[in-house]
Structure formats: C-alpha cells, structure tokens
Amino acid sequence: MNFSADYHMTIGGRAIAGEATIDVINPATGRPFARAADCSKAALDSAVSSAQEAFRSWRCRPIEERQALVAKAGDLLLAHADELARLFTREQGRPVDLAKTEIVRGAGWMKALAQMSPPVHVAEDSDTQFIETRYVPLGVVCAIAPWNAPVSLAMWKIAPALVAGNTMVLKPSPFTPLCTLKIGELFREVFPPGVLNVVSGGDGLGPMMTSHPGFAKISFTGSSATGKRVMMSAANDLKRVSLELGGNDAAIVLPDVDLDAVAPKIFFGAFYNSAQICVATKRLYVHEDVYDGLRDRLAAIAAATRVGDGSEQGTTLGPIQNKRQFERVTALLDDARARGLTLIQGAAVPDNGGYFVPVTIVDNPPEDARVVREEAFGPILPMMKFTDIDDVIARANASEYGLGGAVWSNDVETALSIARRIETGTVWVNQNLNLRPDTPFAGHKQSGFGVENGLEGLLEYMAPQAVYVAR
Ligand code: NAD
C-alpha cells in the first residue's frame, strides 16, 4: 500500500478531511511541514456513532477472529515500519532508527496482546446450579495518546480494547498526529468500518471527547495534571477510566557497582528519547563513595553525545518535541541557574530555531530544588549523594508520583530488598526502561489509575458478568 499524501482521519472506515486543519511542526526546525485534519464536533459525533454501530457486531465475533485481525494489523504496521519511521522523526524528533524501533515494538505489542484471552471462572457446577463469571466488553473506548511515544502507546490501547470486543475512537496528541493518522489509513484494510476510528485536532478535541456521552471508557496517557481533568470529566456519566500519567523515577546506585559497566546504562535510562519517557530515570541517587566517579563518567558520555536533527546520520538525541515543553524545560534550567546550582552540560546543540536542549546533569542539588521535585520530561538529570539506605529510600519515595524506579548493585539480593521498598508500579534491578506486553504496567499514587498490559490490562477493557443458572 502507498500512503496517500493527505493526513485524513478515519471515521466509519472512510477517509475524512477536516473542515479545518492544524499545523504540524518539525521540532528540529521549529517550522510547520504538514497539516492534519481538525476534527469538528459533527465529525466526532459521526466517529462515535460509527463505533457504536460497529460495536454491535464486533462484540459478537468470536474472540479468535478479533485476535487474528489485531495480529494482522501488527504485521501490516511492521511491513510499513521504514516509511512510518521517517515521518515519525519529522513530527516527533527522535533519530530514525529509534523511531523504527518504536514502531517495531508497537507491532510486537499488537501481536503479543492478540494472544490474550479473558478467563472464565466457574464458582459452582452442581446438580442444582451453574455459576460462572465471564468478562464482556464495555462499548466504545475513547483513547487519548501523548506525543513522546505516539505509536507504541496507541498500540498499547488498540490491541487490548479491540481483542476484548470494544470499538474505539483514537486521538493522537495535536503535536504528533501524522503517524497515527497514517496507521488509521493502513488499518482500514484490516478492521471492519467503525471498529477503529482515528481523529485529530487541536487542544479543544480532548475535552470534547472526554465529555462525550457516547463513550463507555476513557483510556488516557499523558500528564498527571491532564489526567485529573479527564477523571473529572468522566465522572458525569461514570465512564470507566484508565490513566497512565507522569513520573519522577528515582534510581539508587550502591557503592559496589562496576562504574564503567553501569554508567552507559544509567545514561541511556535517563536520556533516551531526550528524556521524554514516562519511566526515564529522573532523579539519580548515588552513594557518596562512587558519586564523583559516576558523575565524571556520565559527563564524558554527555560530551560525546550528539544532539541534533533526528533525520541526520550520527544524531543520538533529537530535540524536545514541542515548543511548550521546550519552554518548560528551559524554565527549569533557568531556575537551577538562578539558584546557583552546578550544571554539567554536554555538547553544544544546533541554534536554528529547533527545540534543542543540551544534555544536562545537575551536580548534587538540594531535595527541594525544582529540578528534583518536578518531572522535567527533558534532558536534565539531577544526581544527588547519599550515605544511608533508609534515608535514600525515604527520599526516593518522597514524591507524589509512583511510576518506576531502579536499584543498581553487584549484590542482587541487597538490591532486590531495596527495590521491594520502592513505592512504584514498576521497579528494576540493574536495568531500566524494560517493559513487556504480558506484564502489567501500573502507576501508583498520582502516576496513574488502572493498568496497561498483561491480563490485568486486557480486563481494564472488560466488565465481569456473573451468570447464575438454576438446574
Ligand atoms: P498531556 O497531558 O499534555 O496530553 C496528553 C493528551 O491529552 C494529548 O493527546 C492532549 O491533546 C490531550 N489533552 C490535553 N488536555 C486534555 C483535556 N483537558 N481533556 C482530554 N484530553 C486532553 O501530556 P503530554 O505532554 O502529551 O505527555 C507527557 C506526559 O505524559 C508526561 O507527564 C509523561 O510522564 C506522561 N506519560 C505517561 C506515560 C505512562 O504510561 N504512564 C507514558 C507516556 C507519557
């Protein structure tokens, strides 16, 4: 299939151009390079009614057929990974090879989740009665995705929702709509009309969707601040909600580590995708015995890391994805400078109007500095010294967030005993960023509400139904 040159929505299985459009900006230049449809209220209504209509038959299809179509969609995505990766880089910013990695992983997620089925529990099967609990789909799902990982995080929603028997209206971020619109176009040849609708638009579209009475569930990934607004909006008609939100993940480095071995892994875990990863290491606690050694190694890697246009060969890290976020990150840097904190910065970045920020390590700031307390979601890593384990665990846990965390040590048992005291939904020992489709991903505290991935993630798109049969 050749992609059309237009960025149209998919509604009821058809290409729909918006009456208006939104500009899409290449973050490596700061300039618009494409236009995407801006969904009107009427077009949204049409998407919701198409999804409601499609739900009637989709929910009744045998789950094996739904699973097969989701797996087929995964194959189709994989087959188009190269052309999508180039588009991905232009709208999102990261280097093309890493863009392709995300698309390939998104396709893998579709195929893995296509193998999942809900359980059936039989409570009684006797002469007098038969009682079972089975799981049924909810209806039309409103799926809202962020800009940092627009393809994989959309697949995290499409796969379980559709396998479970729901239909969907998916909205990408206004900053990164293009790949998602193209994927909607691609999947028109897989799913029956109305099963997967893709709409795009500006800042008004998200609230228009979350307050729409036609949705049974909202699956949202984005910031904690927006997540709270989504939950309030859902309360009106008690829509089900899953919220995958922000994080301020701590990593703890014990004094027995092999510094040369762990430094590149810790760097990658903090700065991958220019640190625009929900589970990136955002606070680094290092035992004072190895603090200077790790700081100097991370500084050397930062100096050798090329930040630039992701479409150019040799770029390791791309720009910040959008101007709003760029201004937030630079404001945090300004605040750190104003407080007199020591910043260790990597190589110089292009000065061309793109949203580039140098890799920055903040040398032992106090706990109450904004760069420590707030989720930067940009390449600023505060590293702090510790001496006492109980103290560092308390500092790691002193956050309203509870998404992920890591412990680094040559003694796995000791590391594990610390990891188990970290109050987050995911915790790693001697690794980071590793997530799997068959393993639940859940934000604790204000990092989320509900679960994605694993059987628990599938069941978020279903409701239990108890069936009592008298014999
Ligand atoms: P955001 O909250 O600004 O936007 C996310 C999505 O919500 C976008 O599609 C946006 O258009 C939409 N939206 C905005 N206001 C809305 C409203 N009032 N009602 C409904 N929808 C609305 O988040 P972002 O800046 O795109 O993403 C970055 C944040 O996402 C970070 O905090 C990051 O940690 C978090 N994140 C979390 C996960 C996770 O799985 N926990 C994954 C990736 C990103």
Side-chain angles (χ1 to χ4, degrees), residues 142-149 153 156-157 171-176 201-211 218 220-231 233 243-248 275-280 282 321-322 324-325 375 377 401 403 435 441-443 447-448 452:
C142 162
I144 298 183
W147 45 258
N148 64 319
L153 295 177
W156 284 25
K157 300 184 187 309
K171 185 193 89 63
S173 165
F175 297 118
T176 52
D203 286 343
L205 182 57
M208 207 198 291
M209 289 174 73
T210 55
S211 58
I218 304 171
F220 172 86
T221 303
S223 62
S224 295
T226 310
K228 290 174 193 176
R229 284 195 282 276
V230 168
M231 198 160 178
S233 173
L243 306 173
E244 291 297 345
L245 308 177
N248 199 10
Q276 301 165 115
I277 295 283
C278 53
V279 287
K282 293 172 185 153
Q321 198 283 321
N322 61 74
R324 212 184 285 169
Q325 185 62 17
E375 178 190 37
F377 221 59
Y401 294 113
L403 198 58
L435 297 172
F441 178 63
S447 286
E452 289 199 290

Side-chain angles (χ1 to χ4, degrees), residues 209-454:
M209 289 174 73
T210 55
S211 58
H212 198 294
F215 290 111
K217 166 161 182 116
I218 304 171
S219 176
F220 172 86
T221 303
S223 62
S224 295
T226 310
K228 290 174 193 176
R229 284 195 282 276
V230 168
M231 198 160 178
M232 278 192 269
S233 173
N236 264 338
D237 31 22
L238 288 182
K239 295 181 184 85
R240 274 49 186 155
V241 287
S242 302
L243 306 173
E244 291 297 345
L245 308 177
N248 199 10
D249 293 9
I252 297 172
V253 183
L254 301 189
D256 64 349
V257 290
D258 174 346
L259 285 176
D260 289 326
V262 301
K265 294 177 187 164
I266 291 173
F267 185 89
F268 167 83
F271 292 109
Y272 183 80
N273 197 28
S274 299
Q276 301 165 115
I277 295 283
C278 53
V279 287
T281 295
K282 293 172 185 153
R283 294 177 290 151
L284 182 59
Y285 291 99
V286 186
H287 192 276
E288 64 175 359
D289 291 354
V290 288
Y291 182 92
D292 290 355
L294 184 58
R295 182 198 54 209
D296 295 348
R297 282 168 178 80
L298 294 178
I301 301 170
T305 296
R306 185 162 145 206
V307 178
D309 186 333
S311 61
E312 286 170 10
Q313 284 284 336
T315 298
T316 312
L317 297 176
I320 297 292
Q321 198 283 321
N322 61 74
K323 189 160 184 248
R324 212 184 285 169
Q325 185 62 17
F326 174 73
E327 286 170 353
R328 225 189 87 68
V329 172
T330 45
L332 276 180
L333 283 177
D334 291 345
D335 180 79
R337 282 196 194 93
R339 280 191 70 147
L341 303 180
T342 305
L343 306 185
I344 301 166
Q345 295 202 300
V349 299
D351 181 17
N352 64 344
Y355 309 137
F356 294 105
V357 173
V359 173
T360 304
I361 294 159
V362 189
D363 191 4
N364 205 24
E367 282 291 328
D368 65 353
R370 278 185 63 197
V371 282
V372 182
R373 301 302 346 136
E374 295 181 24
E375 178 190 37
F377 221 59
I380 310 173
L381 179 65
M383 63 185 289
M384 285 78 67
K385 286 184 191 171
F386 77 88
T387 48
D388 178 72
I389 289 294
D390 289 335
D391 170 63
V392 77
I393 292 172
R395 287 159 73 189
N397 287 336
S399 168
E400 72 264 29
Y401 294 113
L403 198 58
V407 184
W408 298 84
S409 170
N410 265 347
D411 178 349
V412 171
E413 284 311 312
T414 301
L416 201 50
S417 69
I418 296 169
R420 291 195 167 121
R421 294 171 63 192
I422 302 291
E423 296 165 356
T424 58
T426 300
V427 62
W428 291 283
V429 170
N430 294 331
Q431 56 166 300
N432 48 33
L433 304 187
N434 184 17
L435 297 172
R436 290 168 56 108
D438 59 1
T439 301
F441 178 63
H444 293 186
K445 300 194 255 180
Q446 293 191 31
S447 286
F449 194 94
V451 186
E452 289 199 290
N453 306 330

